[in-house]
Amino acid sequence: ESSSLSFTAASLVISAYYKIEDNIADSGFFKRLAYRFMRVFYRRHYKKAAENFSEIDVICKNMMLSQAKVEGEKIGNIDLAAEPTAIFLQELFKLKSNDEITSRILGRIGYCAGKMIYLLDAMDDLEDDKKTGGYNPILIKYGDFDVLQMRNETANTINVCLTELASCYELLDIKRYKTILSNIIYLGMPKVIENIKTYGQITV
């Protein structure tokens, strides 16, 4: 549906704009200049998306503020660190149904997906963050622990999220794209988790 495509496009544009703002605040001089140039390009599209989908803008803005607080306090609890991204997708997914029960199920799927995405990204960034000193809750939590142990324990947390996500998914009455969605959840995501646990990178 065009409305679903518009919702998805607006979510992408708004979240990308706030990410650019975040990168401007966190980057060095030359990267900051590049991101400012990108912001000029995105600003017009962002304003249009935020005007038409103000609820997405509010959700994204709250997520960025919460994430900035997490990073500023250098929280080493990976559950708390992943919470802003998890809540962001939870609230975004809930907007896609007016039915209370379906909205709650979608919200939980979004929460689990958001937490998984955050932790997978943190796992993928481990080596870079070690070198640059960038914020990474996994490094703060485990310090100089064995890398394999670090990957295994974090992967276990991600697997728990995937299990709950799959359970919620089975509660939905999927009418379109069920085969594609099932392949992503039951084949694609486990493969990604196994690869990042084994190789430390999101390889497919």
Side-chain angles (χ1 to χ4, degrees), residues 3 23 54 59 64 78 113 133 140 167 201:
S3 61
N23 288 342
S54 58
I59 292 169
M64 295 303 295
I78 62 175
I140 295 174
S167 296
Q201 296 178 329

Side-chain angles (χ1 to χ4, degrees), residues 70-81:
V70 165
E71 294 183 9
E73 295 177 1
K74 297 190 181 302
I75 290 176
N77 183 309
I78 62 175
D79 292 312
L80 291 179

Side-chain angles (χ1 to χ4, degrees), residues 25-37:
D26 293 343
S27 300
F29 177 76
F30 292 106
K31 283 189 176 181
R32 192 179 299 131
L33 285 178
Y35 285 125
R36 282 177 174 166
F37 177 79

Side-chain angles (χ1 to χ4, degrees), residues 41-83:
F41 171 77
Y42 264 93
R43 184 179 286 123
R44 180 169 62 89
H45 302 288
Y46 159 73
K47 287 183 177 179
K48 182 178 179 180
E51 181 180 344
N52 293 328
F53 294 90
S54 58
E55 66 275 27
I56 299 176
D57 187 47
V58 171
I59 292 169
C60 195
K61 183 182 293 186
N62 289 338
M63 184 270 286
M64 295 303 295
L65 290 172
S66 298
Q67 193 62 49
K69 186 173 185 295
V70 165
E71 294 183 9
E73 295 177 1
K74 297 190 181 302
I75 290 176
N77 183 309
I78 62 175
D79 292 312
L80 291 179
E83 191 78 355

